[in-house]
Amino acid sequence: MTELPVLECCTPLAGSSLDEKRAGELERVLKALADRHRLRIVNLLLRAGGEAVCVCEVQPLLGLSQGTVSHHLKQLVEAGVVARESRGTYSYFSLVPGALDAVREVFSVPARVAVPADPDGEPAACC
């Protein structure tokens, strides 16, 4: 019978890169995005290539009433994801530049964490 080497039982934690305040801010954004209609609106605005889109164009694409579309847009504006601009009697919406960057960063894989070594130069056991 061959003996197998013993492997360390856990991976060292790097800790969270989010403080309580930033986590609360991102929670607000993620709650605003956690709706299928709002996700479709964000996708529509992303595909507009930075151009503002009139609310009158959003409603028919979603197949929702004007009041429902306005409600969803309001949620996205309040979360800081979408900007609203009035042009006469119409409202135009666009994504706030960089608004989704923080969400992407939360889910990105960090660089490897250095594992402290014991006095013999071997990685220290964590368990």
Side-chain angles (χ1 to χ4, degrees), residues 12-78:
L13 295 176
S16 179
S17 62
L18 291 175
D19 62 22
E20 187 68 25
K21 180 181 178 206
R22 187 67 179 136
E25 292 167 355
L26 285 169
E27 177 184 31
R28 187 182 68 170
V29 170
L30 290 170
K31 280 184 177 181
L33 294 172
D35 178 274
R36 68 176 179 258
H37 302 301
R38 292 193 283 267
L39 284 171
R40 290 184 69 205
I41 290 169
V42 168
N43 181 259
L44 181 136
L45 296 175
L46 277 167
R47 295 177 59 84
E51 296 295 319
V53 177
C54 180
V55 68
C56 64
E57 296 175 89
V58 175
Q59 187 209 351
L61 291 172
L62 296 179
L64 301 172
S65 70
Q66 187 275 328
T68 301
V69 172
S70 292
H71 165 76
H72 289 302
L73 285 165
K74 180 182 176 190
Q75 298 297 313
L76 292 167
V77 169
E78 288 177 352

Side-chain angles (χ1 to χ4, degrees), residues 10-16 110-116 126:
C10 58
T11 302
L13 295 176
S16 179
R112 295 249 341 146
V113 177
V115 178
C126 62

